[in-house]
């Protein structure tokens, strides 16, 4: 049976406000409970919210002929702008749609002839291009006692991946499972993830989505999936052909089997969710759901009905209205409770935090409610802290309980290892010193508050959007002609460096320099304080041939190629070593920032030394000629023994001799990892304090202090 929506006379799981408690947002009130289909022993109810509607009909279709209407039932208003019908005609497997009528005029787009998707539909089936039927889905599933891993945030290593791209070409996954949920849950894929050491897979959108008409006209597809059609239904084309043929129940079951398999392997599942806009696009776009149910209430717009587009996608969901805010909360609850999803990465999250005047507030009731909701307790919440509207860049400004993609980290790390090196080749000096890089390495305390600490920062060097790691060190400019937009799309500022040749080359020196640059970038990412995110394929040096916006390519360009050259095997070995070292050394992953005046539990106390083993001077922090430091971090655990590491960072192309610091209680430095060799060394020699380490240009070396 379908798991019924919880019913109550008070907001779900949230106590009434008393005393100085903030008032409970209206969208958490009982008036918004049980929207969508709720099955019961004597039939089902359908509840739909629309402030402006004058009538709503439930239209039921034959199970095979999706144009054959078998029943039309009116919904009645029951208060709070909610309409309801109870009927035995709604049961598991029923195909249905909504017809909504209402007033004409500015901002309204009612059309009683349109067959609309129920916003709370758990399953969809296509009728023809751009037309869908909602489906009542059986939510029952045997989780076999497999529990969520609940990985602490400090031990989390995120792996951003696309369901299709990750599995499409894997030779050990059966062809019938290529590009599917089942393929991702296959033992061969799980083995790679476990050996890599990542703790969470962050999937590009798997909410049901569709390709924009513009791309279809060009013969392209929306590969990434940032064009949500429905917020409760999984994207069916990611299921196996067998599951698709069996219907939405089987699609949902395959997705849950994938989650169960990953959980059994100790791997969490985080979803990239797109609540900021929908596939209805701008005015004149499809009328598939919200636009026909209540355009005025669901989308941000001016008084004359013109859309306020802060997403760059044609429309913006108006979470300042109670119905839209509740829709987001209910969707998150569904995926967390019914599908056992462990976390969410919110695309263009600033849009969700805009108020009725369209200004962002970190105290927006929806953002607070997501953090405070007991149904989402323990769920990881990651914001993409920007959109394209006024005041849209908000990195560091979300509240407690949120982590954020740290674009400042990305830009500084890329600058240090790539564009600064390019500049130095041209100008014979670097543009800046090492101070800004060190701040990012130590957890971005200049961006995130003391209360939130370094774990508020999700560190990344690459993501799905932009160059791959290999392309970042191989191209100076984007090469996006294949996207059909005359190379106008995609970022122009990439902070990349081709190291002497644009793209493919046979020059052995350039190739070796690129490989070391990749090792430096990955070493920085995995040894920095904060939560690291690896982009799938970077561990094996995947290329998109210079395309930094491959959103419209479902092809070998975007699929991982698992046939690895020896240098790719070597790079993979480096990533595995780095992830393991991060796990083994708590000093690399503090919970909190240290304080100069008192000890902070679960922080890392940091000392900085120059290449001579002397305390870093202010002049050396800022002097572009001095880009070498030694980063000593000591953990302050509440339980267990302290851990100390020393990381040497050398940021110029000139070789250098580095003297290990002589510190009173230090007897030696155990060599753990270096970015210099093509393949990580297996032995761990011990170096003495005061010993000199010779480094080539641009290198890193990690030690454990004994």
């Amino acid at each position: 049976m379908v798991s019924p929506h919880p019913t109550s006379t008070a907001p779900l799981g949230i106590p009434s406000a008393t005393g100085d408690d903030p008032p409970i947002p209206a969208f958490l009130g009982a008036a918004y409970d049980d929207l969508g289909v709720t099955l019961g022993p004597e039939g089902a109810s359908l509840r739909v919210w629309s402030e402006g509607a004058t009538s709503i009909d439930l239209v039921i279709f034959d199970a095979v002929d999706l144009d054959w209407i078998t029943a039309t039932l009116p919904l009645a208003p029951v208060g709070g702008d909610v309409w309801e019908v109870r009927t035995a005609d709604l049961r598991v497997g029923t195909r249905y749609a909504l017809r909504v009528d209402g007033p004409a005029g500015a901002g309204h787009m009612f059309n009683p002839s349109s067959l609309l998707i129920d916003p709370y539909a758990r399953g969809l089936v296509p009728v023809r291009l751009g037309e869908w039927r909602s489906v009542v889905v059986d939510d029952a599933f045997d989780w076999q006692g497999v529990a969520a891993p609940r990985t602490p945030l400090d031990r989390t290593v995120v792996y951003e991946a696309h369901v299709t791209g990750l599995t499409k070409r894997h030779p050990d996954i059966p062809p019938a499972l290529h590009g599917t949920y089942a393929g991702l849950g296959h033992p061969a894929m799980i083995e790679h993830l476990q050996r890599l050491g990542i703790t969470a897979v962050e999937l590009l959108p798997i909410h049901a989505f569709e390709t924009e008409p513009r791309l279809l006209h060009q013969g392209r597809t929306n590969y990434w999936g940032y064009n949500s059609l429905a917020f409760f239904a999984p994207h069916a084309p990611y299921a196996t052909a067998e599951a698709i043929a069996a219907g939405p129940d089987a699609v949902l079951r395959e997705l849950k089997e994938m989650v169960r398999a990953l959980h059994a392997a100790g791997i969490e599942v985080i979803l990239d969710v797109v609540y900021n806009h929908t596939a209805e696009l701008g005015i004149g776009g499809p009328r598939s759901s919200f636009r026909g149910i209540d355009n005025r209430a669901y989308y941000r717009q001016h008084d004359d009905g013109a859309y306020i587009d802060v997403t760059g996608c044609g429309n913006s969901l108006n979470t300042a209205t109670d119905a839209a805010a509740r829709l987001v909360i209910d969707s998150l609850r569904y995926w967390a409770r019914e599908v056992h999803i462990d976390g969410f990465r919110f695309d263009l999250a600033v849009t969700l935090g805009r108020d009725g005047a369209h200004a962002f507030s970190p105290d927006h009731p929806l953002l607070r409610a997501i953090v405070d909701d007991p149904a989402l307790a323990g769920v990881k919440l990651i914001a993409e802290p920007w959109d394209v509207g006024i005041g849209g860049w908000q990195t560091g400004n979300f509240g407690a309980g949120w982590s954020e993609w740290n674009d400042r980290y990305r830009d500084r790390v890329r600058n240090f290892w790539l564009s600064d090196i390019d500049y130095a080749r041209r100008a014979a000096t670097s543009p800046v010193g090492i101070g800004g890089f060190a701040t990012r390495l130590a957890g971005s305390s200049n961006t995130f508050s003391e209360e939130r600490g370094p774990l508020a920062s999700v560190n990344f060097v690459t993501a799905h959007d932009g160059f791959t790691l290999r392309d970042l060190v191989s191209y100076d400019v984007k090469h996006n002609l294949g996207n059909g937009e005359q190379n106008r799309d995609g970022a122009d500022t990439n902070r990349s460096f081709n190291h002497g040749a644009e793209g493919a080359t046979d020059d052995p020196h350039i190739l070796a320099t690129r490989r070391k640059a990749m090792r430096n970038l990955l070493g920085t990412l995995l040894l920095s304080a904060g939560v690291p995110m690896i982009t799938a394929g970077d561990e094996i040096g995947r290329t998109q041939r210079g395309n930094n916006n491959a959103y419209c390519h479902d092809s070998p360009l975007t699929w991982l190629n698992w046939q690895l050259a020896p240098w790719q095997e070597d790079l993979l070995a480096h990533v595995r070593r780095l992830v393991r070292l991060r796990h083994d050394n708590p000093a690399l992953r503090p919970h909190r920032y240290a304080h100069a005046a008192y000890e902070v539990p679960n922080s890392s106390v940091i000392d900085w030394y120059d290449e001579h083993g002397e305390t870093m001077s202010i002049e050396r922090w800022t002097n572009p000629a001095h880009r070498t430091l030694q980063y000593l971090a000591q953990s302050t655990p509440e339980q267990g023994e302290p851990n100390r590491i020393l990381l040497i960072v050398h940021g110029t192309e000139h070789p250098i001799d580095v003297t290990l610091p002589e510190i009173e209680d230090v007897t030696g430095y155990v060599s753990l990892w270096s970015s210099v060799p093509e393949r990580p060394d297996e032995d761990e020699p011990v170096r003495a304090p005061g010993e000199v380490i010779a480094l080539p240009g641009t290198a890193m070396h990690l030690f454990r202090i004994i």
Side-chain angles (χ1 to χ4, degrees):
M1 291 293 294
V2 174
S3 300
H5 296 296
T7 57
S8 66
T9 56
L12 177 64
I14 296 185
S16 300
T18 58
D20 296 330
D21 292 340
I24 295 172
F27 61 79
L28 294 176
Y32 297 95
D33 287 352
D34 304 325
L35 293 174
V37 172
T38 303
L39 294 183
E42 299 179 357
S45 67
L46 169 67
R47 286 164 58 88
V48 178
W49 183 91
S50 177
E51 183 179 50
T54 56
S55 69
I56 301 179
D57 288 336
L58 165 64
V59 183
I60 296 176
F61 297 88
D62 179 76
V64 177
D65 184 348
L66 297 178
D67 288 316
W68 180 9
I69 297 174
T70 60
T72 300
L73 304 171
L75 280 70
V78 294
D81 298 316
V82 173
W83 299 67
E84 183 176 23
V85 63
R86 296 180 179 272
T87 175
D89 290 337
L90 279 175
R91 59 183 71 89
V92 169
T94 298
R95 275 66 170 154
Y96 69 101
L98 305 173
R99 281 180 174 156
V100 183
D101 199 3
H108 292 303
M109 293 191 181
F110 295 105
N111 186 334
S113 66
S114 296
L115 294 166
L116 306 172
I117 295 168
D118 172 10
Y120 281 73
R122 309 291 177 84
L124 295 178
V125 290
V127 182
R128 58 186 61 85
L129 185 63
E131 190 171 342
W132 307 81
R133 301 289 180 257
S134 304
V135 181
V136 181
V137 170
D138 185 353
D139 281 338
F141 185 73
D142 182 5
W143 289 97
Q144 300 177 354
V146 175
R150 296 291 186 185
T151 306
L153 199 56
D154 72 299
R155 292 179 177 268
T156 296
V157 179
V158 178
Y159 186 76
E160 189 200 35
H162 188 285
V163 171
T164 296
L166 187 61
T167 64
K168 186 73 170 181
R169 303 177 74 181
H170 199 293
D172 297 326
I173 295 176
L177 307 186
H178 282 170
T180 68
Y181 301 123
L184 181 51
H186 188 271
M189 184 52 62
I190 288 176
E191 180 186 15
H192 173 74
L193 299 174
Q194 287 182 310
R195 291 188 66 198
L196 190 60
I198 62 95
T199 69
V201 174
E202 180 179 301
L203 297 178
L204 268 65
I206 66 165
H207 286 172
F209 65 87
E210 64 180 349
T211 294
E212 299 89 328
R214 173 184 62 83
L215 290 176
L216 290 173
H217 181 72
Q218 295 174 346
R220 295 178 174 84
T221 186
N222 187 320
Y223 174 68
W224 287 349
Y226 292 89
N227 199 41
S228 299
L229 188 67
F231 295 134
F232 292 79
H235 191 58
Y238 289 161
T240 57
E242 180 181 3
I244 293 171
D249 288 352
V251 171
L252 179 59
R253 192 159 50 248
E254 183 178 314
L255 172 60
K256 290 181 177 180
E257 288 168 351
M258 177 204 79
V259 174
R260 185 179 64 194
L262 288 166
H263 281 180
I267 299 170
E268 294 185 314
V269 180
I270 298 172
L271 298 188
D272 193 334
V273 287
V274 188
Y275 295 116
N276 58 81
H277 76 280
T278 78
E280 291 183 307
L281 307 176
I283 295 174
R287 184 191 289 109
S288 54
S289 185
F290 301 103
R291 180 168 286 145
I293 293 172
D294 200 324
N295 180 68
R296 195 58 158 156
Y298 276 112
Y299 293 121
R300 295 185 180 275
Q301 52 193 276
H302 297 286
D303 291 341
D304 63 0
Y307 280 177
I308 298 172
D309 180 10
V310 298
T311 67
C313 300
N315 65 60
S316 304
L317 195 70
N318 188 4
T319 53
T321 65
D322 291 335
R326 181 60 180 265
L327 178 83
V328 173
I329 285 283
D330 285 344
S331 173
L332 295 171
R333 290 170 174 171
Y334 171 73
W335 290 96
R337 293 189 303 195
E338 295 294 337
V339 193
H340 291 199
I341 296 302
D342 304 284
F344 302 94
R345 179 268 189 189
F346 293 79
D347 182 63
L348 301 182
V350 168
T351 300
L352 305 185
R354 290 184 180 271
D355 59 21
H358 316 297
F360 173 78
S361 169
D363 295 322
H364 189 287
L366 175 59
L367 300 182
R368 290 203 316 268
I370 291 171
V371 170
D372 294 339
D373 195 326
L376 302 176
V379 170
K380 293 177 172 64
L381 304 173
I382 302 171
E384 183 183 38
W386 52 79
D387 65 14
V388 302
I390 295 173
W393 188 73
Q394 294 290 339
T395 304
N397 293 333
F398 278 68
W402 287 91
S403 296
E404 300 174 37
W405 272 25
N406 189 349
D407 57 319
R408 289 180 170 181
Y409 176 95
R410 174 200 64 199
D411 293 349
R412 175 61 68 180
V413 171
R414 287 186 180 189
N415 281 348
F416 185 80
W417 291 117
L418 300 174
S419 56
D420 287 0
I421 302 301
D422 182 22
Y423 183 98
R425 284 192 185 183
R426 301 169 191 272
T429 183
S430 298
V432 296
I434 202 168
F437 174 86
T439 300
R440 299 301 163 195
L441 184 69
S444 296
S445 61
N446 61 344
T447 300
F448 299 99
S449 67
E450 182 177 344
E451 175 193 18
R452 298 177 67 195
L455 297 179
S457 177
V458 175
N459 299 329
F460 66 107
V461 175
T462 67
H464 67 276
D465 185 1
F467 280 142
T468 66
L469 181 70
R470 180 175 169 185
D471 290 354
L472 196 64
V473 304
S474 304
Y475 293 90
D476 279 352
V477 296
K478 66 187 182 184
H479 295 264
N480 294 357
L481 284 173
N483 297 354
E485 299 183 46
Q486 292 76 51
N487 212 41
R488 293 191 300 262
D489 64 305
D492 292 312
T493 303
N494 296 284
R495 296 174 168 84
S496 59
F497 179 33
N498 68 19
H499 292 88
E502 185 71 359
T505 180
D506 294 327
D507 186 306
H509 175 72
I510 292 175
L511 292 174
T513 306
R514 288 175 177 178
R515 292 194 296 270
K516 182 151 62 72
M518 285 191 279
R519 297 193 293 269
N520 285 327
L521 289 162
L522 286 166
T524 303
L525 175 65
L526 289 165
L527 302 179
S528 293
V531 180
M533 185 186 80
I534 303 169
T535 303
D538 279 354
E539 75 274 23
I540 56 174
R542 181 177 76 91
T543 180
Q544 289 178 169
R545 301 197 297 273
N547 192 318
N548 74 350
N549 190 35
Y551 75 102
C552 56
H553 295 277
D554 186 358
S555 72
L557 182 72
T558 52
W559 305 336
L560 272 66
N561 183 350
W562 295 97
Q563 304 300 318
L564 305 184
W567 73 266
Q568 293 175 295
E569 295 279 7
D570 292 341
L571 182 64
L572 179 58
H574 274 281
V575 178
R576 288 171 176 163
R577 171 72 65 86
L578 286 162
V579 174
R580 178 172 62 80
L581 291 172
R582 181 179 185 84
H583 176 272
D584 292 345
N585 291 276
L588 294 169
R589 41 184 178 81
H591 296 223
R592 303 182 179 94
Y593 298 123
H595 195 281
Y598 52 85
E599 182 174 300
V600 178
N602 292 323
S603 66
S604 287
V605 177
I606 299 171
D607 293 303
W608 305 94
Y609 300 91
D610 62 19
E611 64 268 32
H612 305 298
E614 305 293 334
T615 299
M616 284 282 286
S617 65
I618 294 176
E619 187 274 336
R620 283 184 176 270
W621 279 121
T622 57
N623 189 338
H626 295 282
R627 285 167 57 94
T628 305
L629 63 76
Q630 301 188 71
Y631 163 71
L632 191 155
Q634 175 173 317
S635 66
T636 57
E638 293 181 286
Q639 297 179 342
E641 294 298 318
N643 165 248
R644 284 193 291 181
I645 61 92
L646 179 76
L647 178 63
I648 302 175
V649 177
H650 174 50
T652 76
E653 291 197 297
H654 304 293
I656 194 169
D657 290 335
V658 177
T659 302
L660 296 174
E662 297 186 65
I663 302 171
E664 182 176 348
D665 62 341
V666 173
T667 61
Y669 298 90
V670 181
S671 177
L672 300 178
W673 174 81
S674 169
S675 67
V676 176
E678 290 284 350
R679 192 170 183 89
D681 294 331
E682 295 300 325
D683 57 345
E684 295 184 350
V686 179
R687 307 297 188 186
E691 187 171 339
V692 174
I693 304 295
L695 290 178
T698 59
M700 303 179 74
H701 200 139
L702 177 70
F703 300 87
R704 185 177 69 253
I705 297 177
I706 56 176

